Amino acid sequence: MSELDDLSLLERLVQEVLTSPKYRDISPALVHTIGMQELTRRRNFKEAVKATKNKLHQVAGAYLDGRESYPDRLIELQAAIQTGDAHILRQVCKKVMSHHASTRERLPILDQFYSTLLSDLTPISSILDIACGLNPLAIPWLPLTSDATYYAYDIYQPMIDFLNAYMSLLPIKGRAQRRDVLQSCPTERVDVAFLLKTIPCLEQIDRKAGYNLLRTINARYLIVSFPVHSLGGYNKGMLTHYTTHLHRLLEDTQWEVHNEVFATELAFIIKKDAH
Ligand SMILES: C[S@@+](CC[C@H](N)C(=O)[O-])C[C@H]1O[C@@H](n2cnc3c(N)ncnc32)[C@H](O)[C@@H]1O
């Protein structure tokens, strides 16, 4: 097959995947990357389309419960903010976070998670959240300065629109953007960057994803975390596995690393700057 045929096949595959209701709002750049891999691996076009959708489900779709209903959630958030009661706002934020498996799993540890990981890193006036999911809803738990900026990236346009609308209600400068971080890693200079439970997910598409992101992100501190249970709830020695994996990824660096184990998550504080 000529290169031109390959290209038009890839365009057809991207179009076909993007017409499916489940994937139409996903970053076309990511569909393109996965589609290209699957076209070379699979026996025919139909199998490549199916495999691309499966991979998108594994790395993104599987985390959402499909009941996010962003316009309703936004109204609830607005009402909670208007009460001026921080407890009410946190309750609504928790409800929103329960729609994404990754943040849902963090809810039982939320009160300790950010206070433990961030208290020694203050003042924090900028955060970068890579493959954020609904984690920006945890902003009320973060020890941020009053003029803080929050940059958030993920691949679903409706989620990104919702996060922008939500952050505009908060007393911070927030900016969410749809982006395939594998093709274009954000490089804003920040105090703290979150790579929460993201490395294993992105390494399913690109083996070097973790290695590259850790080096490209321009932050004083990185907070990198890993799940300790799989999505299905099974613990398969993940704590040891991911500890070894992270240390391998950092082998050729002089960065200071400190770990914290929570009931549902293994986290690392990495100091990138020497001063
Ligand atoms: C395991 S979840 C982690 C979510 C969030 N960091 C947290 O811990 O709550 C992985 C997230 O990565 C996002 N994602 C997958 N591939 C991506 C890519 N290439 N670029 C940006 N985000 C991606 C998914 O949509 C999903 O929200």
Side-chain angles (χ1 to χ4, degrees):
M1 200 178 285
S2 76
E3 215 171 283
L4 197 66
D5 287 337
D6 276 356
L7 272 181
S8 60
L9 212 56
L10 178 58
E11 286 319 310
R12 254 181 62 211
L13 179 146
V14 172
Q15 286 314 318
E16 186 155 333
V17 172
L18 290 176
T19 52
S20 115
K22 200 170 161 201
Y23 301 110
R24 68 172 170 228
D25 299 312
I26 278 194
S27 151
L30 180 61
V31 180
H32 197 274
T33 304
I34 298 177
M36 197 148 59
Q37 293 175 349
E38 298 302 347
L39 274 173
T40 57
R41 280 183 199 148
R42 307 292 158 181
R43 281 179 305 184
N44 57 45
F45 181 76
K46 205 170 148 207
E47 280 186 16
V49 171
K50 193 168 167 221
T52 304
K53 288 183 180 173
N54 283 344
K55 187 50 77 72
L56 287 168
H57 179 76
Q58 251 175 51
V59 301
Y63 293 96
L64 288 165
D65 68 6
R67 290 177 310 194
E68 304 84 60
S69 183
Y70 293 128
D72 296 336
R73 298 292 93 84
L74 200 60
I75 291 169
E76 288 171 21
L77 285 162
Q78 257 160 346
I81 288 168
Q82 269 162 17
T83 65
D85 183 330
H87 177 72
I88 295 176
L89 174 61
R90 284 181 176 211
Q91 288 308 112
V92 179
C93 287
K94 279 185 174 177
K95 178 177 167 185
V96 181
M97 285 190 272
S98 73
H99 292 296
H100 191 291
S102 202
T103 34
R104 180 164 64 245
E105 202 174 66
R106 194 173 295 122
L107 292 179
I109 56 165
L110 198 55
D111 289 330
Q112 332 139 27
F113 189 76
Y114 287 111
S115 59
T116 308
L117 295 171
L118 301 180
S119 58
D120 288 343
L121 316 188
T122 53
I124 301 172
S125 65
S126 48
I127 296 266
L128 172 61
D129 196 346
I130 301 264
C132 60
L134 290 172
N135 189 56
L137 274 293
I139 289 173
W141 282 261
L142 307 183
L144 300 178
T145 59
S146 58
D147 60 345
T149 307
Y150 198 106
Y151 303 103
Y153 293 90
D154 205 289
I155 50 173
Y156 282 105
Q157 194 59 53
M159 175 195 280
I160 293 299
D161 294 341
F162 167 74
L163 292 175
N164 276 318
Y166 147 74
M167 288 195 285
S168 75
L169 302 171
L170 301 177
I172 57 147
K173 289 174 249 145
R175 201 200 66 203
Q177 201 183 86
R178 182 174 76 173
R179 189 183 296 189
D180 171 6
V181 299
L182 293 171
Q183 282 189 43
S184 170
C185 173
T187 52
E188 291 92 347
R189 172 70 184 165
V190 289
D191 289 327
V192 176
F194 294 148
L195 255 178
L196 302 182
K197 291 191 272 183
T198 289
I199 290 181
C201 180
L202 297 181
E203 284 179 344
Q204 292 179 51
I205 308 167
D206 174 359
R207 243 174 359 99
K208 298 275 287 176
Y211 184 92
N212 291 336
L213 285 168
L214 289 166
R215 281 157 186 77
T216 312
I217 293 169
N218 187 5
R220 275 201 303 133
Y221 291 95
L222 294 166
I223 304 289
V224 179
S225 78
F226 296 90
V228 292
H229 305 286
S230 70
L231 264 190
Y234 300 104
N235 181 342
K236 305 173 196 154
M238 290 162 89
L239 207 69
T240 320
H241 171 75
Y242 286 130
T243 302
T244 309
H245 185 52
L246 184 87
H247 285 289
R248 270 206 198 115
L249 290 175
L250 300 180
E251 232 160 33
D252 60 353
T253 73
Q254 302 290 319
W255 302 339
E256 266 176 48
V257 184
H258 171 79
N259 80 313
E260 291 286 345
V261 184
F262 300 91
T264 61
E265 201 158 340
L266 164 67
F268 296 87
I269 304 169
I270 302 171
K271 186 177 180 193
K272 277 191 94 171
D273 280 1
H275 40 84

